[in-house]
Amino acid sequence: MPSQPATIFDPSKTFDDNFDHGPFTADPSQQPYQNIGEPKYEFLGHKLYSPFGIAAGSLPSSNHIKYSFERGFDVLCYKTQRSVPFECNEFPNVVYLDIEGDLTLEQAQKPLVGHLSSDKPLEKLTITNSFGNPSRGPEFWVEDMKKAVANQGKGQLLISSIVGTIQEGFTQEDYYNDFARTAELANSTGVQAIEVNLSCPNVAKEGILCYTPEAVISICRKIKKKIGDTPLIAKVGYYSPAQQPLLEQVVLETKDYVGAFSAINTIQAAVVDEKGEQLLPGEGRLKSGICGAGIQWAGIDMVKRLSTLKMKHSLNYEIIGVGGVATVDDFTLYRDAGADVVQSVTAAMWNDKLASQIKTTL
Ligand SMILES: Cc1cc2nc3c(=O)[nH]c(=O)nc-3n(C[C@H](O)[C@H](O)[C@H](O)COP(=O)(O)O)c2cc1C
């Protein structure tokens, strides 16, 4: 584990323990971050004190949202929710990888060796996460999200991340409609932006949808019909250079529905132990989503390509850059690449001061 204790979300504890008892405050005496003056950044029509926050993953409840807003993270995603209760994958859900530098697509084709602990510094830490988008169901999260919305302060934005769930007897159309139904539930909480997770690598049955433009277009159209003026964010994975035509098709054909793209989710790879055997227990868990330092290159590359496509076709979407942001310099690299907003998950689990560190440079 990195040397400092995890505060926002502690991967050494189960998901339920984090959910019910987190966040785990390193310094209980710390006071809420105080912004000075007026918010001067803008994203999807909202004023922000900073274009920085936490992407979907480490904030599964309104307690986590409140804690993170109070630490000065201004753009937060409530962890991906479903229209039905859904179990978390078996513990452990995070393992630490032996990656030095960038995780190339070529490397990700071969199994990566993982460990249950690591002494790497946060800015070099690459992990895999495999939760499977657990949800306690709308009976819990709709009310809890209303509390989270109430915790959003001036110059801050809460985003609700949602996904569809394949249920018994479902056709493809039913599955796509379930995304829209979940977005409608999220919209009923008063949240001011909704993100559709089109890139989860951790539920084998559901697959990574963002590489199927027809699915993306249909889902985004159905969601937008249900949420009206609430902006829709599409969370996508990394498109290889050979997949550029797919990316171009997606941005062009969703232009009437998508207000922002968030890139990237993770890079999928097989993770094994030192003997070459599957490390994460359970069916369908050989491959999982790699995140942290090793994927930063891919997040930045996607931000640049989304930026270029936006100019090329005179489109209006905004861009959230995600992947391997652990320091002020990482934040700046994303902003320079064209990100309107930057988010972190892996590093922010351990460093709840990351937003205040970035704010000293704005
Ligand atoms: C613990 C953990 C849980 C995650 N859960 C989700 C999720 O529920 N929905 C989602 O869209 N992405 C999820 N992700 C992916 C992150 O949002 C992010 O795209 C990815 O981790 C890259 O950012 P990072 O390198 O800062 O971690 C999760 C990542 C982590 C580390």
Side-chain angles (χ1 to χ4, degrees):
M1 241 71 58
S3 51
Q4 65 262 55
T7 57
I8 289 176
F9 188 98
D10 185 349
S12 70
K13 298 181 165 69
T14 64
F15 180 74
D16 281 339
D17 194 2
N18 274 285
F19 197 111
D20 293 325
H21 305 116
F24 304 95
T25 316
D27 171 9
S29 70
Q30 64 179 326
Q31 295 298 311
Y33 184 88
Q34 296 296 331
N35 290 297
I36 301 164
E38 289 301 309
K40 61 175 189 200
Y41 295 90
E42 224 175 290
F43 178 66
L44 295 174
H46 296 274
K47 289 276 183 204
L48 297 174
Y49 274 112
S50 70
F52 183 66
I54 298 178
S58 53
L59 311 175
S61 81
S62 58
N63 290 333
H64 296 77
I65 296 287
K66 180 172 187 290
Y67 181 85
S68 306
F69 274 145
E70 286 180 357
R71 303 280 82 71
F73 293 89
D74 291 328
V75 190
L76 301 183
C77 289
Y78 192 108
K79 184 167 168 60
T80 306
Q81 293 302 323
R82 297 176 178 272
S83 67
V84 287
F86 202 87
E87 290 277 313
C88 186
N89 289 338
E90 200 178 321
F91 186 83
N93 304 95
V94 167
V95 295
Y96 305 86
L97 301 173
D98 275 344
I99 310 274
E100 294 298 332
D102 294 346
L103 168 67
T104 62
L105 296 185
E106 207 182 3
Q107 271 175 294
Q109 295 301 314
K110 298 180 209 123
L112 307 172
V113 176
H115 303 278
L116 296 176
S117 65
S118 165
D119 53 13
K120 282 201 165 75
L122 263 190
E123 62 277 12
K124 295 199 170 151
L125 189 69
T126 300
I127 66 172
T128 184
N129 84 84
S130 168
F131 292 83
N133 288 334
S135 175
R136 292 196 178 179
E139 291 71 21
F140 173 83
W141 66 257
V142 168
E143 284 312 306
D144 190 58
M145 198 177 287
K146 287 181 191 166
K147 287 189 207 158
V149 170
N151 287 132
Q152 175 183 284
K154 177 177 168 182
Q156 299 188 316
L157 177 66
L158 179 69
I159 298 167
S160 162
S161 169
I162 59 99
V163 76
T165 308
I166 297 177
Q167 291 156 67
E168 192 147 1
F170 261 26
T171 61
Q172 179 175 281
E173 196 71 4
D174 294 333
Y175 176 41
Y176 295 176
N177 284 335
D178 190 63
F179 279 82
R181 166 85 191 119
T182 316
E184 192 179 19
L185 286 165
N187 202 37
S188 75
T189 67
V191 76
Q192 286 166 319
I194 292 175
E195 181 172 289
V196 56
N197 183 354
L198 297 165
S199 42
C200 180
N202 298 325
V203 186
K205 201 166 65 156
E206 289 168 355
I208 303 182
L209 287 166
C210 64
Y211 307 121
T212 310
E214 299 72 29
V216 174
I217 296 156
S218 170
I219 289 168
C220 291
R221 189 181 52 236
K222 284 172 185 289
I223 292 178
K224 196 62 187 158
K225 222 170 150 185
K226 296 282 185 195
I227 65 173
D229 291 339
T230 307
L232 175 62
I233 302 164
K235 172 96 174 264
V236 296
Y238 182 72
Y239 290 70
S240 68
Q243 289 169 316
Q244 180 72 8
L246 296 184
L247 177 61
E248 194 153 2
Q249 189 185 351
V250 163
V251 301
L252 280 172
E253 296 193 29
T254 58
K255 72 177 169 33
D256 295 333
Y257 322 120
V258 172
F261 285 92
S262 173
I264 61 170
N265 197 319
T266 51
I267 292 180
Q268 201 185 35
V271 177
V272 295
D273 63 18
E274 272 163 4
K275 292 191 214 128
E277 297 191 355
Q278 177 176 330
L279 186 52
L280 292 165
E283 210 189 317
R285 290 184 80 203
L286 175 63
K287 287 191 170 180
S288 52
I290 313 302
C291 44
I295 68 159
Q296 188 193 80
W297 70 271
I300 289 181
D301 184 47
M302 278 293 291
V303 168
K304 286 186 182 160
R305 285 157 65 196
L306 283 166
S307 221
T308 305
L309 283 174
K310 183 174 141 169
M311 275 190 282
K312 177 177 167 191
H313 297 291
S314 304
L315 298 170
N316 293 320
Y317 58 78
E318 299 187 57
I319 303 168
I320 304 182
V322 195
V325 177
T327 65
V328 173
D329 287 349
D330 299 334
F331 165 81
T332 308
L333 283 174
Y334 270 94
R335 289 281 288 169
D336 291 350
D340 297 285
V341 158
V342 181
Q343 290 180 317
S344 167
V345 175
T346 299
M349 291 197 283
W350 282 274
N351 182 8
D352 65 4
K353 295 192 170 58
L354 186 54
S356 57
Q357 290 161 355
I358 286 171
K359 280 177 164 174
T360 60
T361 68
L362 295 178

